[in-house]
Amino acid sequence: MSKLQLIATSAFGIEAITARELKKLGYFEQKVENGKVTFSGDESAICRTNLWMRTADRILLKMGEFKALSFEELFEQTKALPWDEIIPMDAEFPVEGKSIDSKLFSVPDCQAIVKKAVVEKLKQKYKCEWFEENGPRYRIEVALLKDIVTLTIDTSGAGLHKRGYRKLVGGAPLKETLACAMILVSHWKKDRILLDPFCGSGTIPIEAAMIGRNIAPGLGREFDAEKWPLVPQKLWDDARDEAYDMMVEDQELRIHGSDIDEDAMSIARYHAKKAGVEDAIHLQRLPMSDISSRYKYGIIICNPPYGERLGEKEAVENLYREMGTVFKKLDSWSYYVITSNMEFEKLFGKRADKKRKLYNGRLLCNYYQFFGPPPPKQTINIQNTQQ
């Protein structure tokens, strides 16, 4: 197998979590930058990372990186890359692009030049003048940042947040990748109770249950690279077999989700069933004001309304005040709340122990972390026996 340069893209603010996930999979040779983690791996890494990454948006195959100040430089250096070793004759290879702080600022022109350069490279190998592009997809991206060009091919296809279980859409859905990042930041453990009092369509509880049972998030979907000759079908079969072997289906979990909206709860139940974790989550219609628990040392992770829409501000401010009162009664619990409302701490009535800037879509948010006392350590009595 060959050594490949791969890129796991992620939302701003969670790159370190994505890097930690890659290390857990055994990919230690990596470079963390804004919005991405570059790492090394062989062809099997394409399969394993697409199946297992919970916080990454996509897995990209890095073809090359170089400086270009003119369209001629862009064309020649693109053409010099080994496209013919990756892309088959019948491939569909659309080109997308973006340019930030670069002399080559016209994205459509950059896309057209990269497309032309790839075509010229493929012509040399396949000895033809026209490509039908009716085969597997190889989505190429040309990304320019301060005159540095990075060329990649997307191995994932649809974004990795599309696990395959979300068939219905509720109001203001939280991306699965961000929900996982919120859970992983909290260091929630499967033996502790977890509660989301604003669970909506169920994303946080479902993702927590998948983490608790070690279910690979990509098991229920397909990827573009599954149809590539570069990645043999056996590697995909082996990666899926590994994922099924590592699943802990009988893991007992205490995960609760509630919401005031009964329609949202119906959607959450449907999604939990599609994800195969309906028996691991207790879902019920419940106003936030009625939240209580007899358990200690639990964790609340939630995405309450932000009040971004006109006319919602006063209602949301009152909600945050009520959250402060209700959560305070759970005095041994830890709370994790994401919101774009910069007055949250003041309204909640408590300063967060830690804050982390995260993006929910394009909306800049703070992830407020309030740490409760740690659970008491369990002591194990060991009786020595004399022989």
Side-chain angles (χ1 to χ4, degrees), residues 199-219:
C199 77
S201 59
T203 305
I204 291 175
I206 291 170
E207 292 295 323
M210 293 176 73
I211 291 171
R213 290 189 169 171
N214 205 33
I215 300 172
L219 269 177

Side-chain angles (χ1 to χ4, degrees), residues 18 30 54 92 110 113 154 161 169 176 200 203 210 227 237 258 296 298 334-336 346 353 359 375:
T18 301
Q30 56 182 237
R54 300 184 189 278
E92 175 192 358
C110 291
I113 287 167
D154 178 20
H161 70 283
V169 179
E176 292 84 344
T203 305
M210 293 176 73
K227 298 177 182 178
D237 293 341
S258 60
K296 290 185 174 294
S334 299
Y335 329 125
Y336 297 82
K346 180 180 177 182
D353 296 298
Y359 278 86

Side-chain angles (χ1 to χ4, degrees), residues 236-247:
W236 288 102
D237 293 341
D238 289 348
R240 284 197 163 88
D241 287 344
E242 175 192 40
Y244 280 115
D245 288 344
M246 295 180 69
M247 198 183 301

Side-chain angles (χ1 to χ4, degrees), residues 108-122:
D109 286 337
C110 291
Q111 289 173 256
I113 287 167
V114 167
K115 180 77 172 187
K116 183 180 179 181
V118 175
V119 167
E120 290 302 315
K121 184 73 171 189
L122 297 182

Side-chain angles (χ1 to χ4, degrees), residues 58-119:
R58 295 179 183 278
I59 304 299
L60 308 178
L61 172 61
K62 184 177 178 180
M63 294 298 295
E65 189 171 273
F66 51 82
K67 186 174 184 179
L69 299 176
S70 69
F71 289 134
E72 182 179 0
E73 287 181 321
L74 177 61
F75 177 83
E76 293 298 338
Q77 294 189 79
T78 299
K79 185 181 175 184
L81 296 173
W83 303 101
D84 55 325
E85 297 177 12
I86 306 294
I87 301 177
M89 185 176 179
D90 66 340
E92 175 192 358
F93 51 104
V95 179
E96 298 180 4
K98 57 186 177 183
S99 179
I100 301 172
D101 296 334
S102 296
K103 188 174 181 180
L104 303 180
F105 59 85
S106 172
V107 172
D109 286 337
C110 291
Q111 289 173 256
I113 287 167
V114 167
K115 180 77 172 187
K116 183 180 179 181
V118 175
V119 167

